[in-house]
Amino acid sequence: MSDDLHDLYQDIILDHNKRPRHYGALADYTHTAEGYNPICGDKITVYLVVRDGRIEAVQFEAACCAICKSSASIMTEALLGKSLQEAAAMQQRVTELLSTDIEVDLSVDGEVAALAGVRKFPARIKCATLPWHTYQTALKWECET
Ligand code: ZN
C-alpha cells in the first residue's frame, strides 16, 4: 500500500468519525441489537429496517472510540439498499480485509477498503468489527408485531 493511499484511507476514517452517517436511533425498525467490546469499552446499537430481503434503512448509536464509530458509519453507507445476500458478502469481505493481508482496492471495495488500515493495529481490530458483528446479531432479532 503506497503512502498516498494510506493517507487517503486515514482521511476516510477521520471523516466518518467527525461526521458519522446515519447516526441516531431509528423509529419503526424491524431489527436491532446492542454490541459491546470490553477490550476498548465500545458500545453500539444498530437499527435496521429489512423488507423483502433488502435493507431499507440502517442507523446506529454508539458510545465508542473513533475506529468503531467510523466503521459503523462506513457500514451504514455500505449496507443501505443492499440485499441480505449482498450484505453478507460485504461482511465477509470486511472480515477478510481486517484479518488477512489481501490487497485492497478502493474502486472495488469503496470506503470499506479504508478499514484495512486498521489491521496495522491488531488491538483495535475488534473496534472495527464490532458494528458488523452487531449488524449480524440484529438480523437474528425479530420484533413482536
Ligand atoms: Zn474501540
Side-chain angles (χ1 to χ4, degrees):
M1 197 183 293
S2 74
D3 280 350
D4 284 354
L5 202 52
H6 182 249
D7 287 347
L8 177 60
Y9 289 164
Q10 206 159 38
D11 287 347
I12 291 170
I13 297 265
L14 291 174
D15 180 58
H16 277 272
N17 179 52
K18 219 162 104 181
R19 298 186 299 121
R21 322 297 199 267
H22 310 288
Y23 190 87
L26 189 61
D28 303 327
Y29 54 81
T30 58
H31 299 71
T32 189
E34 288 176 21
Y36 178 53
N37 168 20
I39 298 167
C40 180
D42 303 314
K43 277 185 196 161
I44 185 168
T45 308
V46 173
Y47 305 90
L48 299 166
V49 175
V50 180
R51 283 199 187 93
D52 301 326
R54 192 164 288 277
I55 300 168
E56 290 189 355
V58 48
Q59 291 196 191
F60 75 103
E61 279 185 311
C64 66
C65 70
I67 290 174
C68 179
K69 192 189 276 180
S70 298
S71 179
S73 177
I74 290 169
M75 179 184 80
T76 60
E77 296 263 274
L79 295 183
L80 192 60
K82 294 283 195 311
S83 71
L84 292 179
Q85 284 95 328
E86 289 167 332
M90 182 77 72
Q91 181 165 33
Q92 177 84 33
R93 180 68 179 160
V94 168
T95 304
E96 275 175 17
L97 289 175
L98 284 163
S99 60
T100 70
D101 286 331
I102 49 166
E103 282 293 311
V104 288
D105 185 344
L106 268 182
S107 62
V108 176
D109 297 307
E111 294 196 325
V112 166
L115 295 173
V118 177
R119 63 190 177 198
K120 287 196 304 180
F121 310 98
R124 311 304 297 279
I125 288 174
K126 280 203 160 61
C127 301
T129 55
L130 180 69
W132 299 82
H133 287 152
T134 308
Y135 156 74
Q136 204 168 34
T137 306
L139 278 187
K140 294 175 188 144
W141 186 89
E142 291 279 350
C143 65
E144 309 274 322
T145 48

